[in-house]
Amino acid sequence: MRRWATAAAVLVCAAGPAAAFDFEPVAPLDTAQVDPALLKNMLGAWEIRDKAGKKRCRIVLTREPAIGGMGIEIDPQCGKAYPAMDDVAGWRLLQNWTIDLIDPLRKTRIRFETPDDRYVAFGAAGDIAGMDNLLKIPDAPAQKPRR
């Protein structure tokens, strides 16, 4: 009888929620020590893309305060391409210009690092499924009102 109880307990634990991705701790970037022009370049429009460049998600990184970081504007269609984006509520800028996308509980869901000359996605396989890189794109100009 004890064997069955133990086996049942193991199955229940195994069927529980998946563990979060274990990100290496990275300290926040000390923005007071950074050239303001470099910092300003981090703000604005970015695009998350898959390897082929067919799946895209436009985001805008802002300087406005958000829970646990700074504000982010996410295109409503992003969740279709990358479902984890529906849970993103802010972002953080870390040392080595690492960008963390965080959820409302301040947990990092997706991390973009620059091991070479581009931002590459890191995180749980389900969160970054299909994501390849993050690219800075030109900010969309303000639309002129129609007459």
Side-chain angles (χ1 to χ4, degrees), residues 73-84:
E73 298 170 11
I74 302 171
D75 184 302
Q77 300 301 312
C78 284
K80 291 180 182 176
Y82 306 109

Side-chain angles (χ1 to χ4, degrees), residues 21-101:
F21 189 81
D22 190 21
F23 289 98
E24 289 286 325
V26 178
L29 184 67
D30 182 1
T31 56
Q33 302 298 319
V34 174
D35 177 355
L38 289 174
L39 189 56
K40 184 177 180 186
N41 190 49
M42 294 301 295
L43 303 174
W46 291 79
E47 197 169 68
I48 300 169
R49 296 181 180 177
D50 67 349
K51 200 168 207 120
K54 293 182 180 182
K55 285 174 53 175
R56 297 175 182 220
C57 166
R58 187 177 189 278
I59 62 174
V60 177
L61 303 180
T62 72
R63 185 75 189 235
E64 297 193 22
I67 295 175
M70 292 180 275
I72 185 170
E73 298 170 11
I74 302 171
D75 184 302
Q77 300 301 312
C78 284
K80 291 180 182 176
Y82 306 109
M85 292 303 294
D86 285 338
D87 297 331
V88 172
W91 72 287
R92 292 186 195 119
L93 185 57
L94 308 175
Q95 287 182 1
N96 298 322
W97 299 96
T98 296
I99 297 171
D100 275 1
L101 302 184

